[in-house]
Amino acid sequence: MVIRLFCAAGMSTSVLVAKMQDAAKEKGKDADIAAYPISEMERLIDGVDVALLGPQVGFQLARAKEICGPKGVPVDVIPMQDYGMCNGMNVLKFAYKLAKNK
């Protein structure tokens, strides 16, 4: 599963990405997880299974849906509490749930 996190600069989510990768290993899931600035979304959305937005760019969800919708990529904002606590397992579950519902 290819999961992309988009945030303001692409760096604030790096700790969360590492925690999600650890959670994926723990669960035996094969996941390609990386973070980028939201300004790169249009260029990087091909081949992505799920796109997640950091809460700080949640106001751009409508625009993200315009980019992701035609490509069939589910997109949503990471819950603030899981983002703030860097709860990689919960965010990984959130991503898989989004992908399942697409």
Side-chain angles (χ1 to χ4, degrees):
M1 167 116 82
V2 178
I3 303 168
R4 293 294 176 258
L5 283 68
F6 294 95
C7 62
M11 294 182 298
S12 57
T13 52
S14 60
V15 173
L16 181 57
V17 166
K19 299 254 185 176
M20 288 175 70
Q21 289 167 335
D22 291 344
K25 278 185 199 139
E26 186 182 314
K27 287 285 184 187
K29 304 260 186 202
D30 184 24
D32 174 358
I33 308 166
Y36 298 97
I38 192 155
S39 59
E40 298 289 311
M41 181 179 262
E42 250 178 305
R43 190 175 67 80
L44 298 170
I45 205 64
D46 288 330
V48 172
D49 294 307
V50 177
L52 301 175
L53 303 184
Q56 72 275 34
V57 295
F59 68 94
Q60 294 192 49
L61 181 59
R63 176 72 182 122
K65 286 183 176 186
E66 288 174 7
I67 294 168
C68 296
K71 308 238 182 218
V73 178
V75 59
D76 206 345
V77 180
I78 299 167
M80 179 70 86
Q81 185 171 357
D82 291 330
Y83 186 88
M85 301 290 286
C86 278
N87 189 325
M89 186 64 77
N90 280 0
V91 179
L92 184 70
K93 287 177 184 174
F94 181 67
Y96 272 86
K97 186 176 172 190
L98 272 177
K100 200 168 94 178
N101 293 336
K102 82 173 184 179

